[in-house]
Amino acid sequence: MRTISLIFLLVGALWLPSRAQQSHLDSGSTQNRPIFTVVEQQPEFPGGMNKLMQYFRTNLRYPEAARKARIQGRVFITFIVSEDGAIQQVRALKSVDPDLDAEAVRLVQSMPNWIPARQQGRSVACRYNLPVNFAL
């Protein structure tokens, strides 16, 4: 009886961490390529958040139609930072205006490679959400 209890305890100890890790995978994951949503070390823009904000200030082009219509807001962009830091599958998660959405997507797609996320000591693909503010 004691042996059976020990076996259940060991199986449970091995099963729970694997289930917990699976719950942090993106729905776009495959068996060959997991895409994490929660990682031990988040992906990072080269130089950190200050450099990311500088990149936005330098490269953001406010769409003329949105400027004339005085449209402002925050577009949330979702994308994958791949195992090698490349930006993939960029799309608007929360829309404000089609012109602002398109500019936010363009801005993120043109970013340099990031420092990839790390999980258990290795680089992994990770979904990342980023707000892009448009203010006149």
Side-chain angles (χ1 to χ4, degrees), residues 25-35:
L25 294 177
D26 185 72
S27 61
S29 291
T30 65
Q31 192 167 15
N32 294 333
R33 183 180 187 219
I35 301 170

Side-chain angles (χ1 to χ4, degrees), residues 1-2 4 9-10 14 16 25 27-28 31-35 39 48 50 52 56-57 60 65 67 73 89-90 109-110:
M1 187 66 148
R2 197 169 206 191
I4 293 173
L9 181 64
L10 288 173
L14 295 173
L16 284 175
L25 294 177
S27 61
Q31 192 167 15
N32 294 333
R33 183 180 187 219
I35 301 170
V39 288
N50 288 336
L52 176 62
F56 278 3
R57 285 189 300 273
L60 186 128
R67 183 184 304 279
Q89 298 180 22
V90 181
Q109 284 176 330
S110 65

Side-chain angles (χ1 to χ4, degrees), residues 15-68:
W15 180 75
L16 284 175
S18 69
R19 293 288 295 161
Q21 189 176 37
Q22 287 176 358
S23 67
H24 295 300
L25 294 177
D26 185 72
S27 61
S29 291
T30 65
Q31 192 167 15
N32 294 333
R33 183 180 187 219
I35 301 170
F36 290 84
T37 56
V38 177
V39 288
E40 295 165 356
Q41 184 178 342
Q42 287 289 322
E44 183 178 348
F45 186 84
M49 290 305 283
N50 288 336
K51 289 290 186 182
L52 176 62
M53 293 303 114
Q54 180 182 349
Y55 171 84
F56 278 3
R57 285 189 300 273
T58 304
N59 295 287
L60 186 128
R61 295 184 227 137
Y62 214 108
E64 193 57 36
R67 183 184 304 279
K68 286 180 180 175

Side-chain angles (χ1 to χ4, degrees), residues 66-116:
R67 183 184 304 279
K68 286 180 180 175
R70 306 209 38 89
I71 299 171
Q72 302 182 81
R74 182 178 293 161
V75 178
F76 284 87
I77 298 295
T78 187
F79 57 96
I80 293 171
V81 178
S82 73
E83 300 85 347
D84 65 358
I87 304 303
Q88 302 172 336
Q89 298 180 22
V90 181
R91 66 179 172 82
L93 184 62
K94 179 181 175 277
S95 177
V96 172
D97 171 80
D99 290 336
L100 296 184
D101 299 348
E103 174 56 15
V105 167
R106 184 204 64 80
L107 185 67
V108 170
Q109 284 176 330
S110 65
M111 287 191 295
N113 283 4
W114 284 38
I115 298 164

